[in-house]
């Protein structure tokens, strides 16, 4: 999504064209409204397939359906009917589906439409009703938000909010046209006494039968078709069109949505945090929630069952895309031209981000992801680079190999560094077949690479944790020189984790605290209260990129996903937030202090669901957007440092 | 104070990388030894309950990364410690030489109310290796160092052979308990003179 598009729809030719047309037809519409004939035939003016909602935090639990704009006489209606049989998820019952079904909501009932353009993933909209209620987000899996808005614009008055270019106000005559049409004033309170009995229902408007035929959807017990009033009626008093049953239906929807979204947030409503604190959370500059909660607040007091802003915040949350199967050899070829160049590196990174790699591809792709091989290199160039780099590696290795024992006797720093490495390689992943057993040659290769690296980057030297980072790389590359250079490339990103002054770790832990403050302020406040804001309990996660938290295969999967730098180069921090959020209820519920928390986090090792965590992390990253990025100080690893000069600060008093 | 059903004693284990900190703790708490412990990243702890005289205490034993580079993290982990266990490898001179640094660094970061009275214990580990033939730090040298630090109790151990591990940790627990007792009094504002320091030291009878 282009940055400019986030804020200005007027760049869009479709939209600009429709704008003229729209204002013309609006005039026409207002006129004809006065002389409406409700029995005019209905016309489908817009139709979009693959518009979906996510009823739970599980992105796989998606209900897809068809979105339509239907015009009858001078009035416009919106319908969204889920497909039947497309969702194999057993957990989604027909009842769930019909719960979410939107059957002909007249635009006179719609206050605004909020558009969301995530940096990646699907565009979605949130439709906010005059009552202050909102439908769950509608995701446009096949695109078409622009056209949707343009079509609306052709039939009803749709103007951009002055406060937020992504909020489109529907029928906001007072603010925009300075017109005083008292008949269009939004209701102060929903007139519950006003039943549907005085409204005629024109079933043909809705093409209900056709919808059922198309999609086989059973309208179910929650059908509200009888509440679609006549357009004439709406033009005079939109409040009347909001029936009790509609409200009940939406209160169910919002309740369900709240329950399911709160699972993601692990929101414990009895945890003692006041609504005020929640509000602070909402207003923590999450751009969309901030703005959209403003919209809600305008109306929330007017409706007895209106969403509170907290609820809205949850509703506007988007879920990460479903994880995909790993990229396999056949698909991999598609990313390469005939000479082996990666033609679209972003598409490749995106693909790897969502699915990872088949193990047999890792050997070929990791070097590219890590930046050791350029994406635009050919097969031949990579082979050439490989041979050149092999010589270079041998030269550096030779530097320490040629140290005689007499020389070593007088070279304390070398002896100690070597000793430290030797102590660590024999306790690195020894239970793995690749490294197990006495005199395993791969242990010696680990040692040689680490010692060579400590000469290649003498200032940084060797630090505990490096052997953990090298182990999977050697396992995958299965070649000493190739593993060395991939490790070098990784250390370009993660080297500051091992700085003597620990500044790389401190900046990441600091950024993590800022992200938790943004994305979960009650948890942040809890940590603050318990004196846990140093986040040292996440130290191991960050230092070695969750290497000790997942089994070997999962670690490799996570790493290749992180290395894509796809939604953010700091996705690992969002992974931390995602895990903390998953256990926030337990952490706060059991009132864990620093010690207990550290123990708890350490013991999560082996129990974290990687795919679910990655989905959450992606969603959190997208939710946080620019506000998240702004909380991560420049130069925070794996970003390149701001000032190269002070990167590795050598201290004389320490030799290792 | 004595009415408390359970006392939590926080013990910090320090020493160079690879001297056997994790192994000693696991031998003591889980009665297990493995050649395949991973290098400790960050910090972790294990707990063990034991009875000392008529008191039930929970020993919370903290394991930290041995590399000097991670020492700055100590501030977070050392606070509230009741006893500090220093470990070196009798076969590695450097691990003995750096004890001074660990001792000093601990006091600096934990910042106990009375640094001179804070209980330390020294463990010389891995005495099993090569039947003692590869040993480079003599028992006398270690004891001399302990004497110079105000008579720190000293144990020679083998985590692998489970030699002297229980005895060492019992001494650690007693020292921690004595220190805790002393601190309670300290915080109650009772003059320090009320606690006979020498007796406390002698309590281990090492």
């Amino acid at each position: 999504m282009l940055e400019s598009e986030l804020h200005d729809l007027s760049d869009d030719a479709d939209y600009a064209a429709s704008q003229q047309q729209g204002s013309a037809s609006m005039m026409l519409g207002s006129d004809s409204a006065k002389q409406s004939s409700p029995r005019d035939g209905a016309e489908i003016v817009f139709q979009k397939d693959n518009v979906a909602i996510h009823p739970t935090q599980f992105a796989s639990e998606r209900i897809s359906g068809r979105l339509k704009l239907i015009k009858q006489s001078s009035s416009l209606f919106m319908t969204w009917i889920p497909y039947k049989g497309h969702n194999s998820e057993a957990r989604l019952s027909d009842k769930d589906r019909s719960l979410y079904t939107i059957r002909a909501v007249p635009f006179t009932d719609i206050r605004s439409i909020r558009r969301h353009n995530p940096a990646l993933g699907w565009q979605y909209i949130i439709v906010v009703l005059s009552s202050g209620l909102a439908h769950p987000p509608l995701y446009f899996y096949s695109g078409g938000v622009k056209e949707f808005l343009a079509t609306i614009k052709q039939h009803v008055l749709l103007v951009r909010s002055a406060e937020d270019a992504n909020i489109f106000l529907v029928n906001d005559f007072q603010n925009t046209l300075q017109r005083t049409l008292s008949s269009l004033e939004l209701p102060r309170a929903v007139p519950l006494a006003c039943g549907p009995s005085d409204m005629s229902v024109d079933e043909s408007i809705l093409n209900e039968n056709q919808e059922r035929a198309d999609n086989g959807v059973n309208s179910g017990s929650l059908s509200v078709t009888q509440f679609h009033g006549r357009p004439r009626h709406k033009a005079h008093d939109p409040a009347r069109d909001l029936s009790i049953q509609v409200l009940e239906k939406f209160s169910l929807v919002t309740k369900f949505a709240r329950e399911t979204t709160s699972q993601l947030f692990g929101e414990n409503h009895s945890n003692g945090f006041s609504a005020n604190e929640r509000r602070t959370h909402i207003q923590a500059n999450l751009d969309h929630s901030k703005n959209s909660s403003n919209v809600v607040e305008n109306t929330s007091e007017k409706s007895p069952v209106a969403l509170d802003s907290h609820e809205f915040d949850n509703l506007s949350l988007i879920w990460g895309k479903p994880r995909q199967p790993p990229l396999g050899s056949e698909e991999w070829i598609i990313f390469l031209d005939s000479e082996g160049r990666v033609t679209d590196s972003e598409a490749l990174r995106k693909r790897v981000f969502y699915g990872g790699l088949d193990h047999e591809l890792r050997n070929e792709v990791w070097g590219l992801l890590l930046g050791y091989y350029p994406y635009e290199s050919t097969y031949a160039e990579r082979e050439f680079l490989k041979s050149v780099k092999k010589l270079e590696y041998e030269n550096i290795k030779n530097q320490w190999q040629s140290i005689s024992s007499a020389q070593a006797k007088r070279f304390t720093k070398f002896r100690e560094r070597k000793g430290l490495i030797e102590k660590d390689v024999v306790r690195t992943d020894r239970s793995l077949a690749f490294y197990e057993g006495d005199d395993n040659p791969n242990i010696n290769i680990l040692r040689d690479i680490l010692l060579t690296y400590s000469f290649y980057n003498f200032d940084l030297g060797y630090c505990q944790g490096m052997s953990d980072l090298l182990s999977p790389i050697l396992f995958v590359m299965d070649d000493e020189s190739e593993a060395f250079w991939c490790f070098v490339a990784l250390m370009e990103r993660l080297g500051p984790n091992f700085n003597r002054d620990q500044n790389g770790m401190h900046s990441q832990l600091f950024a993590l605290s800022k992200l938790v403050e943004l994305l979960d302020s009650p948890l942040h406040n809890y940590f603050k209260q318990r004196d846990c804001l140093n986040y040292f309990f996440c130290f191991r996660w960050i230092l070695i990129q969750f290497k000790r938290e997942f089994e070997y295969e999962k670690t490799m999967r996570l790493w290749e996903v992180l290395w894509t730098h796809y939604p953010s180069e700091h996705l690992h921090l969002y992974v931390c937030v995602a895990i903390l959020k998953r256990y926030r209820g337990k952490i706060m519920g059991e009132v864990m202090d620093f010690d207990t928390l550290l123990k708890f986090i350490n013991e999560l090792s082996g129990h974290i669901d990687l795919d679910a965590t990655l989905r959450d992390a992606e969603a959190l990253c997208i939710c946080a957007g620019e506000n998240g990025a702004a909380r991560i100080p420049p130069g925070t690893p794996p970003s390149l440092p701001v000032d190269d000069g002070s990167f590795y600060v050598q201290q004389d008093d320490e030799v290792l | 104070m004595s009415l408390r059903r359970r006392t939590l004693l926080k013990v910090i284990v320090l020493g160079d990388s690879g001297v056997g900190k994790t192994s000693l703790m696991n031998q003591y708490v889980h009665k297990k030894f493995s050649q395949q412990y991973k290098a400790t990243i960050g910090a972790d702890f294990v707990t063990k309950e034991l009875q000392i005289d008529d008191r039930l205490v929970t020993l919370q034993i903290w394991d930290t990364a041995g590399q000097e580079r991670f020492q700055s993290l100590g501030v977070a982990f050392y606070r509230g410690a009741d006893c500090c266990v220093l470990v070196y490898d009798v076969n590695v001179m450097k691990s003995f030489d750096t004890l001074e640094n660990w001792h000093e660094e601990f006091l600096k970061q934990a910042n106990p109310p009375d640094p001179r009275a804070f209980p330390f214990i020294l463990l010389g580990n891995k005495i099993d290796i090569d039947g003692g033939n590869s040993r480079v730090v003599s028992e006398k040298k270690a004891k001399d160092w302990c004497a110079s630090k105000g008579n720190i109790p000293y144990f020679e151990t083998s985590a692998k052979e489970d030699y002297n591990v229980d005895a060492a940790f019992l001494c650690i627990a007693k020292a921690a308990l004595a220190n805790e007792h002393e601190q309670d009094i300290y915080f109650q504002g009772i003059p320090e003179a009320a606690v006979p320091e020498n007796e406390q030291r002698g309590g281990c009878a090492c």
Side-chain angles (χ1 to χ4, degrees):
Chain A
M1 186 56 54
L2 291 174
E3 193 79 24
S4 63
E5 224 179 314
L6 290 176
H7 303 295
D8 196 358
L9 201 75
S10 64
D11 295 343
D12 179 345
D14 294 353
Y15 185 78
S18 70
Q19 202 160 1
Q20 277 193 311
Q21 204 184 333
S23 49
S25 70
M26 180 58 221
M27 297 305 287
L28 200 75
S30 319
D31 286 347
S32 61
K34 288 168 191 160
Q35 33 178 292
S36 67
S37 51
R39 295 286 161 186
D40 283 355
E43 181 196 353
I44 297 170
V45 293
F46 174 88
Q47 179 170 310
K48 198 76 202 172
D49 278 302
N50 290 319
V51 176
I53 67 158
H54 293 275
T56 70
Q57 76 268 39
F58 301 107
S60 57
E61 290 184 14
R62 159 177 128 196
I63 306 178
S64 295
R66 178 178 295 168
L67 183 70
K68 285 183 189 178
L69 292 173
I70 298 164
K71 193 177 182 200
Q72 183 172 40
S73 179
S74 61
S75 295
L76 192 65
F77 299 83
M78 185 180 92
T79 67
W80 177 80
I81 313 282
Y83 306 133
K84 197 175 184 184
H86 279 233
N87 306 291
S88 50
E89 277 295 328
R91 293 174 58 177
L92 295 174
S93 63
D94 284 349
K95 192 182 160 201
D96 287 343
R97 272 189 213 103
S98 64
L99 181 69
Y100 288 105
T101 300
I102 301 171
R103 263 191 203 89
V105 173
F107 268 74
T108 43
D109 283 357
I110 295 176
R111 176 171 174 80
S112 65
I113 296 169
R114 162 89 191 160
R115 182 180 60 168
H116 292 258
N117 297 320
L120 75 137
W122 302 278
Q123 273 197 316
Y124 64 97
I125 58 161
I126 294 173
V127 176
V128 181
L129 300 177
S130 307
S131 63
L133 296 166
H135 287 283
L138 289 164
Y139 291 77
F140 285 62
Y141 276 72
S142 305
V145 172
K146 253 181 331 203
E147 296 77 6
F148 174 71
L149 291 169
T151 309
I152 294 169
K153 185 104 188 175
Q154 288 172 25
H155 300 282
V156 300
L157 182 67
L158 186 72
V159 291
R160 249 177 227 279
S161 155
E163 288 84 36
D164 186 333
N166 276 316
I167 293 178
F168 297 86
L169 302 169
V170 180
N171 292 326
D172 194 6
F173 290 96
Q174 285 193 309
N175 293 337
T176 57
L177 298 184
Q178 314 293 317
R179 285 207 233 164
T180 35
L181 293 180
S182 57
S183 63
L184 283 170
E185 270 189 16
L186 296 170
R188 288 268 150 221
V190 176
L192 296 178
C194 173
S197 57
D198 60 340
M199 299 173 198
S200 69
V201 178
D202 184 352
E203 278 284 330
S204 70
I205 296 177
L206 311 169
N207 294 317
E208 275 295 320
N209 296 329
Q210 195 200 324
E211 291 283 355
R212 284 185 198 134
D214 285 353
N215 306 312
V217 170
N218 185 337
S219 64
S221 59
L222 286 164
S223 169
V224 288
T225 53
Q226 67 268 37
F227 311 123
H228 307 120
R230 285 169 301 183
R232 172 172 46 81
H233 214 111
K234 292 174 205 310
H236 291 291
D237 190 357
R240 287 176 195 280
D241 297 324
L242 227 48
S243 69
I244 294 171
Q245 286 88 343
V246 170
L247 286 174
E248 279 176 351
K249 178 188 174 216
F250 283 122
S251 70
L252 271 178
V253 170
T254 52
K255 181 171 173 287
F256 185 52
R258 180 184 59 223
E259 282 169 356
T260 51
T261 51
S262 68
Q263 283 169 15
L264 175 63
F265 280 93
E267 191 68 56
N268 180 356
H269 285 273
S270 59
N271 62 14
F273 289 99
S274 68
N276 243 3
E277 279 170 289
R278 291 210 185 93
R279 193 164 295 269
T280 315
H281 173 43
I282 305 301
Q283 287 165 352
N285 295 325
L286 273 172
D287 64 345
H288 61 267
S289 67
K290 185 177 90 183
N291 293 313
S292 43
S293 65
N294 287 344
V295 172
V296 172
E297 278 161 17
N298 288 341
T299 54
S300 60
E301 285 161 26
K302 298 168 188 167
S303 164
V305 286
L307 288 166
D308 65 25
S309 54
H310 173 64
E311 216 167 344
F312 197 87
D313 179 54
N314 281 353
L315 275 182
S316 62
L317 184 84
I318 61 159
W319 287 272
K321 272 199 202 180
R323 305 293 305 164
Q324 294 171 7
L327 174 67
S329 313
E330 282 175 28
E331 195 186 347
W332 162 237
I333 301 300
I334 302 168
F335 287 97
L336 301 173
D337 69 12
S338 58
E339 292 180 298
R341 297 180 192 88
V342 174
T343 47
D344 184 350
S345 62
E346 184 168 342
L348 174 65
R349 290 191 297 119
K350 182 177 177 180
R351 178 65 182 86
V352 174
F353 176 79
Y354 282 111
L357 296 160
D358 262 356
H359 185 68
E360 52 272 26
L361 271 188
R362 290 186 169 130
N363 181 280
E364 194 175 350
V365 185
W366 275 20
L368 291 160
L369 290 176
L370 285 168
Y372 166 42
Y373 292 115
Y375 284 112
E376 59 274 16
S377 59
T378 62
Y379 292 125
E381 284 162 352
R382 292 201 281 273
E383 279 308 307
F384 178 71
L385 186 68
K386 186 175 171 178
S387 60
V388 169
K389 286 293 187 181
K390 192 174 176 60
L391 283 177
E392 200 181 326
Y393 173 72
E394 293 300 334
N395 280 337
I396 307 165
K397 186 179 177 183
N398 193 44
Q399 289 171 11
W400 62 263
Q401 279 190 318
S402 62
I403 292 172
S404 68
S405 54
Q407 192 185 353
K409 212 174 273 178
R410 298 164 179 81
F411 195 171
T412 307
K413 200 177 274 195
F414 170 70
R415 280 200 321 274
E416 288 175 356
R417 194 173 277 187
K418 188 159 176 273
L420 194 55
I421 291 170
E422 281 169 347
K423 276 202 171 97
D424 282 354
V425 293
V426 296
R427 43 183 181 166
T428 302
D429 297 321
R430 294 303 297 279
S431 55
L432 198 79
F434 190 76
Y435 293 114
E436 81 181 351
D438 295 338
D439 303 319
N440 186 318
N442 293 323
I443 297 294
N444 294 336
I445 298 175
L446 274 182
R447 179 201 60 201
D448 288 359
I449 294 175
L450 289 168
L451 201 47
T452 306
Y453 181 76
S454 85
F455 272 69
Y456 175 81
N457 188 346
F458 202 88
D459 288 346
L460 188 61
Y462 173 76
C463 182
Q464 287 191 322
M466 287 184 183
S467 68
D468 278 281
L469 292 180
L470 174 60
S471 159
I473 293 177
L474 178 61
F475 174 66
V476 162
M477 301 314 289
D478 207 14
D479 175 279
E480 189 171 333
S481 161
E482 289 287 281
F484 173 81
W485 291 110
C486 282
F487 180 69
V488 166
L490 179 63
M491 292 307 288
E492 286 301 304
R493 300 176 177 191
L494 301 182
N497 283 9
F498 302 101
N499 277 3
R500 281 163 215 288
D501 59 6
Q502 295 284 302
N503 63 352
M505 285 304 296
H506 285 300
S507 66
Q508 287 171 92
L509 293 170
F510 174 78
L512 174 58
S513 78
K514 288 290 159 191
L515 288 179
V516 172
E517 187 178 18
L518 172 71
L519 293 161
D520 193 340
S521 76
L523 187 63
H524 171 82
N525 291 335
Y526 177 82
F527 286 153
K528 193 173 173 182
Q529 225 175 45
R530 311 296 305 190
D531 206 6
C532 295
L533 281 186
N534 60 31
Y535 280 83
F536 279 173
F537 46 86
C538 297
F539 188 86
R540 189 173 77 191
W541 289 1
I542 292 174
L543 187 83
I544 50 174
Q545 304 284 285
F546 305 93
K547 166 74 160 43
R548 301 273 179 99
E549 318 313 320
F550 296 100
E551 59 185 68
Y552 214 64
E553 167 60 32
K554 296 264 190 224
T555 301
M556 293 190 285
R557 171 64 29 84
L558 172 63
W559 285 8
E560 62 209 11
V561 167
L562 294 178
W563 294 346
T564 63
H565 286 186
Y566 184 63
S568 161
E569 57 187 359
H570 295 109
L571 191 83
H572 68 296
L573 297 178
Y574 292 98
V575 170
C576 295
V577 180
I579 301 171
L580 291 174
K581 265 186 167 297
R582 280 192 167 245
Y583 295 98
R584 70 193 296 283
K586 196 170 166 63
I587 291 168
M588 296 194 288
E590 294 179 13
V591 202
M592 294 186 187
D593 60 8
F594 179 83
D595 296 356
T596 319
L597 184 58
L598 178 103
K599 188 79 184 159
F600 174 70
I601 297 276
N602 282 346
E603 289 182 351
L604 278 183
S605 172
H607 301 288
I608 303 169
D609 179 339
L610 179 60
D611 279 353
T613 301
L614 280 174
R615 278 199 305 268
D616 289 358
E618 184 202 357
L620 289 166
C621 179
I622 292 165
C623 260
E626 287 301 304
N627 291 306
R631 276 167 172 73
I632 301 170
T636 298
S639 298
L640 292 178
V642 189
D643 178 13
D644 246 342
S646 61
F647 193 10
Y648 299 118
V649 183
Q650 176 69 5
Q651 284 166 11
D652 292 339
D653 58 349
E654 204 198 327
V655 292
L656 292 178
Chain B
M1 287 295 164
S2 60
L3 291 177
R4 279 178 306 183
R5 276 186 301 247
R6 186 163 299 165
T7 308
L8 182 74
L9 298 173
K10 184 170 177 178
V11 174
I12 312 289
V13 182
L14 299 178
D16 275 7
S17 172
V19 296
K21 299 181 291 296
T22 308
S23 295
L24 280 164
M25 288 169 43
N26 278 298
Q27 182 57 267
Y28 176 59
V29 174
H30 300 122
K31 293 285 160 219
K32 268 188 240 165
F33 177 79
S34 165
Q35 298 276 12
Q36 296 191 0
Y37 288 124
K38 295 180 174 195
T40 305
I41 302 284
D44 201 358
F45 63 84
V46 291
T47 53
K48 173 144 174 149
E49 303 206 340
L50 68 164
Q51 190 157 349
I52 298 173
D53 302 329
D54 56 344
R55 289 186 73 172
L56 192 60
V57 300
T58 303
L59 217 49
Q60 187 190 63
I61 310 165
W62 282 73
D63 193 8
T64 54
Q67 194 167 6
E68 274 177 286
R69 213 173 291 200
F70 295 121
Q71 267 184 13
S72 67
L73 292 174
V75 183
F77 303 126
Y78 300 170
R79 62 185 167 189
D82 297 299
C83 178
C84 177
V85 181
L86 299 174
V87 185
Y88 78 101
D89 179 345
V90 298
N91 308 286
V92 178
M93 186 54 79
K94 170 149 192 280
S95 71
F96 180 78
D97 292 340
T98 51
L99 289 174
E100 192 71 44
N101 175 264
W102 285 113
H103 185 265
E104 190 185 326
E105 198 64 29
F106 175 82
L107 288 177
K108 203 162 84 187
Q109 296 199 31
N111 196 20
D114 184 359
R116 281 164 309 161
F118 190 87
F120 283 88
I121 307 265
L122 180 66
L123 308 185
N125 193 32
K126 302 197 186 183
I127 58 162
D128 60 285
I129 288 186
D130 203 10
N133 290 325
S134 61
R135 175 170 193 145
V136 293
V137 182
S138 70
E139 190 171 356
K140 182 177 184 303
K141 188 168 179 169
K143 284 186 166 167
D144 285 351
W145 187 81
C146 288
S148 78
K149 295 290 164 196
N151 285 325
I152 294 178
Y154 176 63
F155 291 85
E156 301 218 320
T157 58
S158 163
K160 188 180 177 185
E161 307 289 336
D162 194 15
Y163 174 76
N164 231 4
V165 176
D166 276 1
F169 275 98
L170 182 63
C171 174
I172 289 160
K174 284 181 175 172
L177 192 60
N179 180 58
E180 215 227 6
H181 178 60
E182 184 187 331
Q183 276 191 36
D184 290 343
I185 292 168
Y186 180 87
F187 287 122
Q188 284 163 13
I190 291 172
E192 278 182 69
V195 183
E197 218 173 279
N198 292 336
E199 272 182 37
Q200 176 212 334
R201 284 281 170 252
C204 276
C206 319

